[in-house]
């Protein structure tokens, strides 16, 4: 019923996906967290919304070209809102895309399904078609941290994960990842993953302290009691980074230590003084964080889902908020999905 694949997020800048507290809470911009590991997540709705917004311009460009070919007078490209005069003389403002949709509907013109975001991701709640909603063809679950970079003197960066985070990656990508000995990642027993605690990758550099291999973090020394092993299968982008696996009850503390944090102020326009309520703190997942999320596509009609331009499997996309201060740039790579012909169809709810 579904073709399954997965996506990998490599943060190229700090990533903030969360909520903003009010002034009474100190204007804290906190990220969303997993309820058990307390590590950062990106909700599936945020991923779907981002992919929807990436496809929407394709449909708009197709509508503009098609209507122009039919000698329809298209407003200037700078007009993002179109003013219509109703029969009662009142003005009605609608978005440019809604205006194009309206004209296309009058001419019985429909854009190709391949570039119709409402077909792939379902009709959005604010659409005039919300009374006849469609089920999304593409399903997104939340993205979770797989490896998070942490400052470590002497490295200077070590990527950290935990058994629970590795197990979720195994569930998502286990069918598609093969180890060097030919074993599928999904066939690895949970006990083996649990035993990876306090194991380092082959590329991590340890400090010899009293004859023991240790890493130094801000909270103290961490001993690699299991030594080093090949962790390349757990790095979805192919490069085995300097890394260590810690216990599930420790990842939250290390994760919070690794977060990018910044205090910012908004100054008054006419003098260098903080505007009222203009002080806030923000936190974000650091640059270099590796996240993973599952994707499922209904296989009920012959169409190809190509969310990126030029039929590539990866692209740079901005996720989350605070783009104005340089946050959100990520590289998303889709596995087992992008270049395949999949059967899809629109399902009326």
């Amino acid at each position: 019923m579904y073709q399954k694949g997965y996506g990998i997020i490599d943060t190229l800048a700090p990533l903030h996906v969360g909520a903003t507290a009010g002034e009474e809470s100190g204007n804290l911009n906190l990220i969303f967290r997993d309820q058990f590991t307390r590590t950062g997540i990106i909700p599936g709705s945020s991923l779907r919304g981002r992919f929807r917004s990436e496809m929407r311009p394709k449909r708009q460009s197709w509508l503009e070209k098609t209507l122009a070919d039919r000698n329809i007078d298209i407003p200037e490209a700078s007009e993002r809102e179109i003013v219509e005069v109703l029969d009662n003389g009142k003005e009605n403002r609608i978005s440019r895309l809604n205006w194009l949709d309206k004209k296309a509907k009058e001419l019985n013109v429909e854009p190709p399904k391949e570039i119709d975001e409402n077909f792939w991701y379902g009709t959005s709640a604010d659409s005039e078609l919300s009374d006849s909603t469609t089920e999304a063809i593409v399903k997104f679950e939340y993205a979770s941290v797989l490896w998070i970079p942490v400052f470590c003197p002497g490295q200077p960066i070590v990527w950290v994960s935990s058994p629970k985070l590795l197990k979720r990656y195994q569930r998502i990508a286990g069918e598609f990842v093969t180890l060097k000995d030919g074993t599928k990642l999904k066939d690895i027993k949970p006990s083996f993953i649990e035993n990876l605690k306090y194991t380092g990758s082959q590329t991590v550099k340890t400090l010899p302290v009293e004859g023991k291999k240790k890493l130094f973090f801000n909270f103290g020394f961490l001993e690699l009691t299991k030594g080093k092993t090949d962790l390349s299968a757990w790095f979805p982008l192919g490069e085995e980074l300097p890394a260590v696996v810690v216990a599930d009850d420790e990842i939250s503390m290390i994760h919070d230590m690794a977060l990018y944090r910044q205090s910012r102020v908004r100054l008054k326009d006419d003098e260098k003084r903080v505007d009222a309520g203009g002080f806030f703190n923000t936190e974000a997942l650091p640059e270099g964080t590796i996240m993973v999320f599952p994707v499922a596509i209904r296989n009920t009609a012959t169409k190809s889902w190509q969310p990126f331009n030029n039929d590539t499997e990866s692209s740079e996309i901005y996720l989350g908020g605070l783009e104005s201060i340089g946050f959100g740039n990520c590289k998303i790579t889709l596995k087992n999905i992008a270049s395949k012909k999949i059967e899809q169809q629109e399902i009326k709810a």
Side-chain angles (χ1 to χ4, degrees):
M1 189 173 182
Y2 292 96
Q3 182 204 354
K4 294 186 178 181
Y6 64 102
I8 305 155
I9 300 174
D10 181 17
T11 62
L12 305 179
L15 173 62
H16 173 86
V17 179
T20 303
E23 183 179 352
E24 69 280 359
S25 301
N27 283 351
L28 299 176
N29 292 264
L30 303 176
I31 63 171
F32 291 136
R33 284 172 165 80
D34 175 78
Q35 61 180 325
F36 300 117
T37 63
R38 308 304 299 164
T39 55
I41 64 169
I42 304 175
S45 57
S46 297
L47 293 171
R48 184 178 67 249
R50 181 71 263 180
F51 276 94
R52 176 191 293 277
S53 65
E54 289 292 313
M55 185 172 288
R56 187 180 294 120
K58 300 179 184 179
R59 181 166 65 92
Q60 180 169 322
S61 297
W62 186 92
L63 287 171
E64 290 181 348
K65 183 179 184 304
T66 302
L67 294 177
D69 291 343
R70 298 197 178 201
N71 298 320
I72 302 298
D73 188 17
I74 306 295
E76 293 293 329
S78 59
E79 296 186 43
R80 305 180 72 176
E81 279 192 340
I82 311 299
V83 179
E84 292 184 325
V85 179
L86 304 178
D87 294 338
N88 58 9
K90 293 184 178 180
E91 292 185 349
N92 179 40
R93 292 180 175 271
I94 61 174
S95 70
R96 184 180 185 86
L97 181 55
N98 286 342
W99 184 88
L100 293 169
D101 282 334
K102 183 178 178 181
K103 291 297 181 182
K105 187 176 181 180
E106 292 174 357
L107 298 173
N108 293 321
V109 173
E110 290 188 4
K113 298 299 185 184
E114 289 85 348
I115 59 171
D116 188 351
E117 77 278 6
N118 293 321
F119 171 72
W120 293 108
Y121 310 119
T123 305
S124 57
D126 59 351
S127 169
E128 62 182 8
L129 301 176
S130 59
D131 58 342
S132 58
T133 57
T134 57
E135 180 184 356
I137 298 297
V138 183
K139 316 284 189 180
F140 297 96
E141 291 184 32
Y142 72 92
S144 59
V145 170
L146 178 58
W147 296 99
I148 186 168
V150 184
F151 173 70
C152 179
Q155 298 291 328
I157 303 172
V158 169
W159 277 259
V160 181
S161 187
S162 75
K164 187 171 181 61
L165 300 178
L166 296 178
K167 287 176 183 177
R168 185 167 193 263
Y169 174 63
Q170 180 193 36
R171 177 179 70 82
I172 294 171
E175 179 66 32
F176 315 110
V177 177
T178 303
L179 279 64
K180 293 179 180 179
D181 61 1
T183 304
K184 289 281 189 182
L185 190 66
K186 67 174 184 177
D187 296 326
I188 295 180
K189 296 181 179 180
S191 58
F192 177 86
I193 300 176
E194 289 291 339
N195 287 331
L196 289 177
K197 286 186 296 187
Y198 310 120
T199 298
S201 66
Q202 297 176 114
T203 54
V204 72
K205 300 176 183 177
T206 58
L207 298 173
V209 179
E210 298 178 352
K212 299 177 181 179
K213 298 179 179 179
K214 294 186 178 183
L215 295 173
F216 178 70
F217 294 104
N218 287 345
F219 59 81
F221 286 99
L222 176 68
E223 182 182 355
L224 300 187
T225 58
K226 308 287 181 61
K228 300 181 183 181
T229 191
D230 183 6
L231 296 177
S232 58
W234 302 99
F235 284 92
L237 298 177
E239 179 185 2
E240 185 180 12
L241 299 169
V244 63
V245 180
V246 301
D248 289 327
D249 59 356
E250 297 170 340
I251 187 64
S252 174
M253 175 181 60
I254 298 176
H255 168 274
D256 280 4
M257 183 180 66
L259 290 179
Y260 177 96
R261 289 189 172 92
Q262 191 176 69
S263 297
R264 302 183 65 86
V265 296
R266 182 178 66 252
L267 301 180
K268 292 185 176 181
D269 294 335
D270 55 351
E271 57 183 329
K272 290 185 179 180
R273 292 181 58 190
V274 178
D275 199 0
F279 176 81
F280 68 94
N281 295 290
T282 186
E283 65 180 17
L285 292 170
E287 174 185 346
T289 302
I290 300 174
M291 309 182 76
V292 62
F293 61 94
V295 181
I297 305 178
R298 291 181 63 87
N299 52 0
T300 50
T302 304
K303 297 293 177 184
S304 177
W305 180 52
Q306 296 290 348
F308 304 137
N309 293 327
N310 303 319
D311 295 343
T312 58
E313 69 170 11
S314 64
S315 179
E316 288 190 22
I317 287 180
Y318 278 84
L319 293 172
L322 302 179
E323 294 179 11
S324 61
I325 60 173
F327 285 18
N329 190 19
C330 300
K331 183 177 181 180
I332 296 184
T333 303
L334 298 175
K335 295 290 188 179
N336 198 49
I337 288 177
S339 61
K340 295 196 174 183
K341 295 292 181 182
I342 312 152
E343 296 188 350
Q344 320 281 355
Q345 80 175 10
E346 191 171 21
I347 306 297
K348 293 290 184 180

